[in-house]
Amino acid sequence: MEETDRVEEVFCAEVEDGHAFTLEDNILTGNCFGCQEGGDVITFLMKIDGLSFGEAVERLAEKVGVQLRREDGDERDQRPKGPPRARLVEANKVAQEFYAEQLALPGAAPGRQFLLDRGFDQQVAEHFGMGFAPNDGEALLKHLRGRGFTQEEMTLVGLVAIGRSAYDRFRGRLLWPIRDATGDTIGFGARRILDEDKIDAKYLNTPETPLYKKSQVLYGIDLARREIARSSQAVVVEGYTDVMACHLAGVGTAVASCGTAFGEEHTRVLRRFLHDHEEFRGEVIFTFDGDQAGQNAALKTFAGDQNFVSQTYVAVEPDGLDPCDVRIKKGDAAVRELVARRVPLYRFVLSNVVSKYDLDRADGRVDALRESAKLVSAIRDKSKVDAFAREIAGMIGIDVDEARTEVRRAANRPARRDERPAQVGQRQPEAAPAAPARPAVPDLRDPRFSIERETLKLVIQHPMAIGRTTADIGPNDFTHPTYRGVWELVEAAGGLAAGSSDPGWSTKLRDSAEDPAVSSAISALGVEPLMREPDAAYVGSYVFKLLELTAQRRIAAVKSRLQRTNPVEHPADYNKMFGELAALEQHRRHLRDRMANGE
């Protein structure tokens, strides 16, 4: 097999799970229709797996069997040095297998009891790859040496530490293997089990290594990635046992950060599995404890909320239990219900802010308004500000315009120590801002409207060729107002049947237009050349794609309603929308089949 063929094979294999990736003329480039990522194979892997350039090169070389040759002497040389990634992954794999075997031995009895107390039996431990690190400070070290690993490899991957001599980093602890999305073990989380453990910290994690970067690692992503992609939902919990409890209870989208708070890098990791972009919005559900620490975590998450296009929610157990405790005390169904009862993150955060004040007092309402307005004014997505201002008004019990005014004040005049809060109901000295200008009409040649433009060129220039295929097209299939106006003129003129027998079809349409923009568009559409001759395949590719885009918009709208509907409180509505969603998905598949068959 040629090396280029092998690279192509790996490129497809790397993205086949959840990514519809097509290669272009150059086999090293392409575009994923799922997550919209593209580029050459190295760039793609850097984005999709969060790798550096050197790490991506190493992974590809390992996959296709190409040996990397490193050259010394160039200080600018940033190519990977030291043991290859494959050796580090293999060391972790051997360690995980070793730890798993140790969990069955007598010395690991406290670890097994810890798991049983939380409802996790041996089968569950095996499913999650759990293990136990012997209290002997050199047990793993000796085992890895026996398997041919060097001290450099063991220390570089974080399994062995160096003091007066080399020793096992994890000793006498229950272990969770932390895996990347491909299933490779890249690190470990270790919980204190033994009273004689000299390290007081409840959890120890693998330190930063070439494989393990805690700001990018999500525990459980290897098990959750398929379900996240399928359901467009991710549940972010706070610990390893919470992930386990959720998965066992039927919430297969649960993940957790490892040894650090959920941050911006974690957001980027989740986004690629959610296929999180403007055309399709999933949901991210955070579980927080009901105490002050949980509320502070929610505030911090809200500050980074805009890294997602997806809708963000919070699921909090009223009794303050985490998902693992919920499963122990109330069962699997209660865990699923906890997730189903989620509330929008912004509503949870604003409710917590407002609840700190006595809203029966005027000064309490003023302070609640001022703090919540300051929070809202800081968000980057200004399209959300008005909706949040309405939420504030409803929570505090004031007029919406007062909430809007205070949000504008907070945004335009950062709070100072000597600045007094605005009084609720008091007329503001500054004049109300002018009403926002009407948004400009988008450029007709914007790529977003290319399908609409090409379809209308066929309608105007070749009404006979496109005739019968347009039976299902309507004004709502055109999202640009000018293109919608052109189609409405076509319908008013009798449709494509009238145009097929009228040599002055284009002129007739243009003369009937009252809107100058529509008239101008018809003139341009009537003379602009087509890509090629309008045969059946060419016509169908545009007509069915136009209809499919409409179906996708309708699907997105139904999914949006689903996200706003609580299935526990409104099961009938929820089920009805699921049926509607299924019908729309079937319609979209039918359109794709018709396009593929050249109808």
Side-chain angles (χ1 to χ4, degrees):
M1 182 184 293
E2 294 291 335
E3 280 193 8
T4 52
D5 293 334
R6 297 209 310 275
V7 172
E8 178 178 354
E9 178 183 341
V10 172
F11 198 18
C12 293
E14 287 286 345
V15 298
E16 64 181 359
D17 183 12
H19 297 274
F21 209 100
T22 60
L23 296 173
E24 298 170 358
D25 294 337
N26 179 346
I27 66 163
L28 296 180
T29 63
N31 183 67
C32 173
F33 289 110
C35 67
Q36 306 304 313
E37 291 291 1
D40 62 70
V41 60
I42 295 174
T43 303
F44 180 81
L45 279 182
M46 289 170 66
K47 292 178 182 178
I48 213 70
D49 280 338
L51 304 176
S52 68
F53 176 83
E55 291 167 337
V57 170
E58 276 203 329
R59 180 170 297 187
L60 284 170
E62 173 191 338
K63 293 281 188 180
V64 301
V66 174
Q67 184 175 3
L68 294 177
R69 184 175 68 252
R70 300 173 175 83
E71 297 178 359
D72 298 325
D74 186 352
E75 295 181 357
R76 296 171 298 174
D77 187 2
Q78 298 299 313
R79 286 174 289 186
K81 294 179 173 62
R85 183 182 187 278
R87 287 290 293 173
L88 303 183
V89 170
E90 183 65 19
N92 271 334
K93 178 183 177 182
V94 172
Q96 186 272 322
E97 293 170 348
F98 173 78
Y99 289 141
E101 292 172 356
Q102 299 301 309
L103 186 59
L105 300 181
R112 294 195 298 273
Q113 189 61 49
F114 173 91
L115 293 174
L116 288 174
D117 290 344
R118 287 153 181 78
F120 306 136
D121 57 19
Q122 179 181 349
Q123 185 177 358
V124 172
E126 291 175 357
H127 176 69
F128 288 93
M130 297 193 63
F132 187 80
N135 218 9
D136 178 353
E138 296 183 349
L140 179 66
L141 174 65
K142 293 175 181 177
H143 180 73
L144 290 175
R145 278 177 177 166
R147 295 291 296 270
F149 291 97
T150 66
Q151 184 169 300
E152 179 190 12
E153 291 168 338
M154 290 184 271
T155 55
L156 189 60
V157 82
L159 293 170
V160 168
I162 304 295
R164 284 178 292 183
S165 60
Y167 62 91
D168 293 353
R169 182 177 295 278
F170 304 117
R171 290 154 290 166
R173 291 198 168 220
L174 186 65
L175 291 173
W176 283 263
I178 300 170
R179 299 176 172 126
D180 64 15
T182 68
D184 287 340
T185 299
I186 57 175
F188 294 90
R191 193 194 192 280
R192 192 177 192 271
I193 295 294
L194 305 178
D195 292 337
E196 61 267 29
D197 193 332
K198 296 180 181 179
I199 300 176
D200 292 332
K202 182 184 291 187
Y203 283 96
L204 293 176
N205 285 78
T206 295
E208 294 283 308
T209 74
L211 299 181
Y212 183 88
K213 296 174 174 58
K214 65 181 180 181
S215 63
Q216 301 172 3
V217 172
L218 288 170
Y219 175 71
I221 194 65
D222 57 311
L223 299 175
R225 59 178 297 190
R226 293 177 186 271
E227 186 63 16
I228 288 174
R230 187 196 68 79
S231 65
S232 295
Q233 178 197 83
V235 177
V236 180
V237 298
E238 294 189 329
Y240 304 128
T241 57
D242 292 333
V243 171
M244 295 170 70
C246 284
H247 280 255
L248 295 174
V251 183
T253 59
V255 295
S257 57
C258 302
T260 185
F262 189 91
E264 188 173 338
E265 292 292 328
H266 298 117
T267 296
R268 282 200 280 268
V269 172
L270 265 190
R271 284 198 64 176
R272 68 181 175 87
F273 292 112
L274 281 166
H275 301 168
D276 187 46
H277 53 80
E278 289 292 350
E279 293 301 321
F280 182 78
R281 298 188 175 206
E283 62 179 35
V284 181
I285 303 171
F286 295 91
T287 63
F288 298 115
D289 293 338
D291 57 14
Q292 186 59 48
Q295 294 180 22
N296 292 340
L299 279 168
K300 183 175 181 179
T301 301
F302 181 73
D305 179 34
Q306 297 148 84
N307 293 320
F308 289 105
V309 173
S310 297
Q311 308 300 305
T312 45
Y313 296 85
V314 174
V316 176
E317 197 353 270
D319 297 334
L321 302 176
D322 59 33
C324 184
D325 289 334
V326 169
R327 181 172 180 266
I328 294 171
K329 297 180 179 182
K330 302 182 180 182
D332 290 348
V335 177
R336 297 192 294 271
E337 185 178 346
L338 167 65
V339 174
R341 286 200 313 264
R342 77 270 191 262
V343 297
L345 173 62
Y346 72 84
R347 187 170 297 155
F348 176 80
V349 170
L350 292 176
S351 295
N352 282 333
V353 168
V354 170
S355 67
K356 296 188 299 183
Y357 299 95
D358 181 359
L359 301 182
D360 290 332
R361 294 169 53 94
D363 58 345
R365 292 193 296 272
V366 170
D367 292 339
L369 173 60
R370 184 180 185 186
E371 184 174 349
S372 53
K374 180 179 178 182
L375 192 66
V376 167
S377 69
I379 70 173
R380 293 191 297 271
D381 187 349
K382 299 308 177 185
S383 66
K384 297 179 180 179
V385 169
D386 190 66
F388 291 173
R390 288 179 177 275
E391 290 280 344
I392 293 171
M395 291 176 182
I396 298 176
I398 60 174
D399 186 75
V400 173
D401 287 338
E402 291 178 283
R404 288 171 176 155
T405 298
E406 185 60 31
V407 170
R408 285 196 298 268
R409 283 168 52 88
N412 295 331
R413 290 176 18 187
R416 300 191 308 269
R417 291 181 181 273
D418 59 348
E419 183 181 16
R420 296 181 59 84
Q423 296 297 312
V424 176
Q426 176 182 334
R427 195 174 190 82
Q428 301 300 320
E430 62 267 26
R438 183 178 178 180
V441 176
D443 189 335
L444 287 171
R445 294 184 179 276
D446 189 308
R448 291 176 295 168
F449 310 109
S450 60
I451 300 296
E452 298 176 24
R453 185 176 187 87
E454 293 302 314
T455 303
L456 287 176
K457 282 161 60 175
L458 288 166
V459 165
I460 293 173
Q461 297 180 32
H462 299 277
M464 183 177 295
I466 196 174
R468 70 182 184 87
T469 64
T470 62
D472 296 328
I473 293 180
N476 289 335
D477 294 309
F478 297 91
T479 57
H480 194 293
T482 301
Y483 289 149
R484 187 183 306 118
V486 173
W487 180 258
E488 288 171 344
L489 286 181
V490 170
E491 289 186 331
L496 274 296
S500 300
S501 58
D502 187 350
W505 168 246
S506 175
T507 302
K508 180 179 179 180
L509 288 177
R510 187 182 64 242
D511 292 345
S512 65
E514 297 180 359
D515 185 341
V518 173
S519 176
S520 176
I522 293 173
S523 297
L525 294 168
V527 298
E528 188 174 310
L530 301 173
M531 300 293 184
R532 60 183 175 86
E533 285 300 312
D535 56 18
Y538 181 79
V539 169
S541 65
Y542 283 106
V543 172
F544 292 131
K545 188 62 177 177
L546 180 71
L547 296 172
E548 184 187 2
L549 290 173
T550 300
Q552 288 176 341
R553 289 194 295 273
R554 294 177 62 191
I555 288 169
V558 174
K559 286 185 174 179
S560 176
R561 295 207 310 274
L562 271 171
Q563 293 165 357
R564 300 194 304 270
T565 303
N566 189 311
V568 176
E569 297 177 358
H570 306 286
D573 292 342
Y574 203 77
N575 291 334
K576 180 180 178 181
M577 282 185 279
F578 255 116
E580 185 180 351
L581 185 62
L584 286 169
E585 291 282 10
Q586 184 177 4
H587 175 59
R588 181 169 65 173
R589 288 193 295 269
H590 176 64
L591 289 171
R592 288 182 174 178
D593 290 342
R594 292 179 67 185
M595 183 163 56
N597 295 331
E599 295 183 20

